Amino acid sequence: TQLLEQSPQFLSIQEGENLTVYCNSSSVFSSLQWYRQEPGEGPVLLVTVVTGGEVKKLKRLTFQFGDARKDSSLHITAAQPGDTGLYLCAGAGFSGSRLTFGEGTQLTVNP
Amino acid sequence: DTAVSQTPKYLVTQMGNDKSIKCEQNLGHDTMYWYKQDSKKFLKIMFSYNNKELIINETVPNRFSPKSPDKAHLNLHINSLELGDSAVYFCASSRLPGQPYINYGYTFGSGTRLTVV
């Protein structure tokens, strides 16, 4: 079974601060995704990273896939209250469409 | 307009009852899933169907039975509900993986919050 560990589990910061969320595994993934989930809604896909070492930017969010494709990070610059939510990483195996989700990081950005 | 729609949004029922949750997607995806999200927000896969065929069946009690009448619909029926079944259930859909092994990600419904009392 492939497991993904996210850290930190909870993060409460002030508006304008920077933060990084980590997603680690001992397994190799074919691709890795990040989702954001808001209360009362389902997770929404933010990005997919495929190549080891790949870096993708989405406005103030920077996603990186580890060289060995076992880990990933999400960095948010100048966080805003609208960034508040549950951030989930999810890894895809090498066969089929199955995703394994991490435990999530609950981010709260205070104004 | 909704890509993946689940009904009902909320479901409160007594122990021992039987209930169903319906899911429909209009994205033309081939694969659909049921996930359970517990109180700690952990998402765990329950079932996956690819074009009406069951392809993933995790260790889920027999009281849970998925049904896929066509590739756009995946329903979940639960018999003899127990207190521990209380959770949020998410339906999701996806395209088939591309090559090489590109996973295009899931589109989730907004969830069904099931409360068993």
Side-chain angles (χ1 to χ4, degrees), chain B residues 3-101:
Chain B
V4 179
S5 58
Q6 293 179 231
T7 54
K9 175 84 173 168
Y10 300 96
L11 188 51
V12 181
T13 188
Q14 290 188 325
M15 274 197 313
N17 283 351
D18 303 339
K19 290 293 178 186
S20 290
I21 307 172
K22 295 187 175 182
C23 180
E24 176 182 3
Q25 55 98 1
N26 62 4
L27 297 166
H29 288 166
D30 294 288
T31 310
M32 296 185 72
Y33 312 82
W34 277 111
Y35 273 80
K36 180 180 180 180
Q37 189 171 48
D38 60 25
S39 57
K40 294 185 178 179
K41 305 296 185 185
F42 183 61
L43 271 168
K44 187 172 180 187
I45 191 164
M46 300 173 69
F47 303 103
S48 173
Y49 271 74
N50 183 18
N51 202 10
K52 300 193 298 177
E53 182 183 343
L54 180 66
I55 56 172
I56 295 175
N57 185 353
E58 286 297 289
T59 308
V60 177
N62 291 340
R63 300 180 294 102
F64 290 79
S65 52
K67 281 191 173 52
S68 182
D70 56 62
K71 76 173 194 177
H73 296 84
L74 180 61
N75 304 322
L76 183 65
H77 187 77
I78 316 170
N79 289 325
S80 304
L81 278 154
E82 300 178 357
L83 292 177
D85 298 332
S86 295
V88 181
Y89 292 84
F90 284 101
C91 175
S93 71
S94 71
R95 293 165 58 183
L96 285 175
Q99 293 297 330
Y101 310 112

Side-chain angles (χ1 to χ4, degrees), chain A residues 20-94:
Chain A
T20 303
V21 176
Y22 299 94
C23 177
N24 295 298
S25 176
S26 57
S27 302
V28 178
F29 294 101
S30 64
S31 62
L32 195 138
Q33 297 165 357
W34 285 90
Y35 291 78
R36 180 168 68 209
Q37 184 180 10
E38 299 189 20
E41 298 296 328
V44 175
L45 179 65
L46 295 174
V47 77
T48 300
V49 284
V50 179
T51 308
E54 182 177 2
V55 176
K56 278 193 174 178
K57 292 196 173 188
L58 190 66
K59 295 183 182 177
R60 293 174 295 100
L61 279 59
T62 302
F63 305 86
Q64 184 161 10
F65 202 11
D67 290 340
R69 299 203 299 213
K70 293 183 180 181
D71 54 84
S72 180
S73 63
L74 157 60
H75 183 79
I76 302 180
T77 303
Q80 298 177 1
D83 296 327
T84 293
L86 178 70
Y87 288 82
L88 296 157
C89 65
F94 288 88

